[in-house]
Amino acid sequence: MTDSRGLTSRTPRTVLGCYHRAMLDKSADDLADLYAVDALHEFPFSAPGFPARFTGREEVRAGYRAAWGASPLQVVEIADVAVRPAADPGTVVAEHVVVVRSAEGDGFAVPGLLIIEVRDGLITRKRVPRWIARAGAPDCASGAPMTSECYPGQVSQG
């Protein structure tokens, strides 16, 4: 069954595209609207005063509204997007490079990886593998191919 917004017809790849668009637009509302009411949005690390996770759509909305509102940086491009197979068809595993610029024109690129679990067209869980935040995981962090060792439970075998 599909609601008037077509949520159940959104595939995980479509949701990923919408996620990237929200990043480019710096739209906390568009990002949060991709999430289920009780979704979990996890970060691979935390900083003082910043949570390790957001629980629920409204925490995602409030958290990103505050973070993006306070940041002088703007995502100007999401490049080199590579979607990898996942064992669960409701999961999308995506590598990308986020290109960011400041108001002064200074910029940098941040490689990243997202694992997004989607049910009924909404994100139920967004996470980044913990090894990204850990030092000493060279086999996984150095651009190694997608393997079950680096992505436990996420990569199709075969």
Side-chain angles (χ1 to χ4, degrees), residues 9-79:
S9 64
R10 284 197 307 206
T11 67
R13 283 184 185 228
T14 301
V15 171
L16 175 67
C18 294
Y19 189 99
H20 285 157
R21 181 81 255 159
M23 290 173 63
L24 287 162
D25 294 343
K26 219 174 183 180
S27 175
D29 288 328
D30 289 350
L31 183 69
D33 289 345
L34 296 172
Y35 284 77
V37 172
D38 59 349
L40 184 61
H41 180 102
E42 298 173 83
F43 299 98
F45 51 85
S46 63
F50 196 81
R53 73 186 52 82
F54 294 141
T55 303
R57 176 186 299 150
E58 296 313 315
E59 279 192 22
V60 170
R61 187 182 317 279
Y64 274 92
R65 184 173 285 140
W68 286 343
S71 176
L73 302 175
Q74 177 69 45
V75 174
V76 295
E77 181 183 6
I78 299 172

Side-chain angles (χ1 to χ4, degrees), residues 90-154:
T91 299
V92 63
V93 178
E95 298 176 69
H96 58 228
V97 176
V98 178
V99 181
V100 180
R101 296 239 186 281
S102 69
E104 294 78 31
D106 300 324
F108 55 92
V110 181
L113 184 134
L114 293 173
I115 300 173
I116 300 175
E117 298 172 21
V118 176
R119 296 292 174 265
D120 297 326
L122 294 170
I123 297 171
T124 57
R125 185 177 180 207
K126 176 264 168 194
R127 64 191 174 98
V128 175
R130 287 185 189 95
W131 56 259
I132 287 180
R134 282 196 326 246
D139 291 340
C140 296
S142 64
M146 300 289 285
T147 65
S148 59
E149 179 182 42
C150 291
Y151 304 87
Q154 295 301 317

